[in-house]
Amino acid sequence: MSHLFYYRDDVVMKTAIGVLGDLADTLGSNAGSLIQQSLSCKDFLNECLSSDDHLIKESAEWAKMAIARAISV
C-alpha cells in the first residue's frame, strides 16, 4: 500500500512541474518572471531537479528551460 502513495506523489510532482513549465511556455514573459520571483516555485523546481525519479528530473529540466525561454523574450 505504501508504494501506491509514493507513486501518486511522483505522478503529482511530475504533473505539477510540467504545468509550471507549460504556464511559462504558454504565457511568456509575465508568467516566467512571476515564476522566477516565487520562492516556493524555485524551491519546488530545485526539489524536482534533484529527484531520484528520472521522469520528474526530465520534466523539471524542461520546465527550467521553458521558464528561462519565457524570461528572455
Side-chain angles (χ1 to χ4, degrees):
M1 190 86 131
S2 64
H3 292 292
L4 182 60
F5 290 118
Y6 289 124
Y7 173 73
R8 285 183 183 168
D9 287 347
D10 288 350
V11 170
V12 169
M13 282 185 74
K14 182 183 175 298
T15 303
I17 198 63
V19 167
L20 204 58
D22 286 345
L23 285 171
D25 196 43
T26 304
L27 299 177
S29 63
N30 290 334
S33 296
L34 288 174
I35 292 168
Q36 187 183 40
Q37 292 171 14
S38 169
L39 186 57
S40 59
C41 287
K42 284 195 275 188
D43 287 347
F44 181 62
L45 178 61
N46 288 331
E47 181 181 348
C48 291
L49 287 168
S50 64
S51 175
D52 292 334
D53 184 311
H54 76 279
L55 293 175
I56 293 173
K57 196 175 228 174
E58 186 177 279
S59 293
E61 289 289 346
W62 178 84
K64 183 179 177 180
M65 288 190 309
I67 293 164
R69 206 172 33 245
I71 292 167
S72 68
V73 173

